Amino acid sequence: MNKYQHYYSFNRIILLILDVALIALAFNLSNLFRYGTVALDHQYSVFFVLFALVWWIVSGFSNFVFRIDGFFSIGKKLANLINAFVLHAFILASCIVIFNLEEISRLLLLYTYISTALLIGFSRLMFMQLSRYFTKSDMAYSRFVVVGSGQAAINLYHTFSNDENPGTKFMGFFDDEADVNSPYYNLVKGSENDLQEYCLQHGIDEIYYTKPLNNKEQVDELTAFCDDNFVYFRIVPDFSAIVQKDVNLYFYHNIPMISVRKEPLEQVTNRAIKRVFDIAFSLAVILLIFPIVLPVIALLIRLESKGPIFFKQLRPGKKNRLFVCYKFRTMFVNTQTELQATKNDPRITRIGRILRKTNLDELPQFFNVLLGDMSVVGPRPNLVSQLDHYSKVISKYKMRHFVTPGITGYAQVSGYRGETKEVHLMEKRVEYDVKYMENWSFMMDMKIIFLTVWNMIKGEKNAY
């Protein structure tokens, strides 16, 4: 689908230019509402450049922020746009502090964000409607046929028949062994010998080959025919007999390989991005926040109970390698450290209950992040005793240890934290951990961090 890559790149340039123009309009309108004039003062002009520049950077981090074609549902496009604005606000707030722009009116900033979100959101809806109109017009149709009429062919037909996909027009199946009892039999236009003549008569643009790859002569013949008649030839391998879920196909030099599980963090670039962020974020917390809260928390812990300020415990990390996990001590000194905390647990001190409720007990774990034992975001490191127990009763439990554990995680911000009295609660936690592994993105980490901070502010009923 290389033609769609060019289409996407062109859209990206057009929409980026449009976004900058809309941001400029939003700034003028906001200034008009706030001060009665469209003329921007010097500081607000500098802020406009910063605002637009950060949006450009965020668009680079946020996959498919500029996608208006049909490869993604409207819900997915909207979610991507919201995530982009959340990340944009996070970065921009940091820039305001760094560049000393605190004098900008908070009300003006609110007007700017609301008007920018409305204008860009409306422009996306308009472009999606135009894109949908264009893809349904005759000039946008890419006519295609499918060789074969098995399950792979039917799945392909349904995929391209979806209204969310760019303008393609299915012209029929061609198969020597079509099932006359199949509900799709009426879509079979002829035998495989009829294919080439049909393509010439109906101006077919693409041929998709879904039959088993054991007929080299036929594949070579169709390849030559397509080359001579300017038709795209695609081979669609069918793995449904051996793999019952989505797979990833990639090449190592010229050798095709299949991964039965999505593994974004197996890519070196993704791991590098995550690690650089972990180091930068943990250093910021250790240098800016830790020196302020440490004396206060340490004093409160000491005043209430005897014992160390910090609690150290072995936890299983990536690939089950044990590491020393640091926390502020939230319990009276006891010998039952491998028992999970429960509601109204008598071992927990009063200050410990507050620390747990606000997640402040986990601040020392940023040293674990800096050392590389943990990440800011990832599956939470459970107790060693839990590893031994749940590995035997939950089939995918060990999968969560494919990646580095985190201070916060997808399961925790989705409501699955605290005590796991029943197995199904841990199963849900594992389910979300696996989802995180298979769908990781930098934006996903930003969203989880934002939700974690939000939960710290509003409090969580399962945090004890």
Side-chain angles (χ1 to χ4, degrees), residues 203-328:
I204 299 301
D205 300 299
E206 297 173 282
I207 296 175
Y208 289 88
Y209 190 88
T210 65
K211 295 180 72 66
L213 300 177
N214 55 9
N215 191 339
K216 184 178 183 300
E217 183 180 343
Q218 184 183 46
V219 172
D220 290 342
E221 180 185 347
L222 287 175
T223 301
F225 168 78
C226 290
D227 289 343
D228 292 340
N229 294 279
F230 311 106
V231 178
Y232 293 101
F233 183 58
R234 324 281 191 191
I235 295 176
V236 184
D238 183 10
F239 303 114
S240 60
I242 55 174
V243 180
Q244 301 299 320
K245 60 179 181 178
D246 293 341
V247 298
N248 293 308
L249 177 65
Y250 62 96
F251 284 84
Y252 184 77
H253 296 295
N254 63 336
I255 303 172
M257 297 184 180
I258 296 173
S259 173
V260 297
R261 183 177 60 253
K262 289 189 287 186
E263 301 168 327
L265 287 173
E266 281 303 298
Q267 297 180 22
V268 175
T269 52
N270 286 343
R271 291 204 306 271
I273 290 171
K274 189 171 177 63
R275 183 60 186 147
V276 168
F277 174 78
D278 282 345
I279 293 173
F281 195 86
S282 58
L283 276 175
V285 172
I286 291 170
L287 296 177
L288 301 178
I289 298 177
F290 210 74
I292 299 172
V293 300
L294 176 60
V296 177
I297 294 176
L299 179 62
L300 292 173
I301 291 173
R302 276 292 175 86
L303 287 175
E304 184 170 9
S305 63
K306 294 181 180 180
I309 303 299
F310 298 102
F311 173 70
K312 298 186 295 182
Q313 188 177 41
L314 286 178
R315 295 287 179 97
K318 185 176 181 180
K319 298 183 179 179
N320 290 346
R321 288 192 290 265
L322 297 180
F323 70 96
V324 178
C325 183
Y326 299 99
K327 297 179 69 175
F328 282 122

Side-chain angles (χ1 to χ4, degrees), residues 25 37 41 47 49 114 122 130 133 142 165 205 207 216 229 239 244 265 306 365 390 401 459:
L25 176 60
T37 176
D41 62 25
F47 184 62
V49 175
I114 291 175
F122 181 73
L130 289 172
Y133 173 79
S142 176
N165 279 321
D205 300 299
I207 296 175
K216 184 178 183 300
N229 294 279
F239 303 114
Q244 301 299 320
L265 287 173
K306 294 181 180 180
Q365 289 173 20
Y390 288 117
H401 293 278

Side-chain angles (χ1 to χ4, degrees), residues 316 320 322 338 382-394 397-398 401:
N320 290 346
L322 297 180
E338 279 297 314
N382 290 334
L383 300 170
V384 175
S385 59
Q386 289 177 314
L387 172 64
D388 296 335
H389 172 66
Y390 288 117
S391 295
K392 300 172 184 176
V393 296
I394 301 176
Y397 185 85
K398 289 184 178 179
H401 293 278

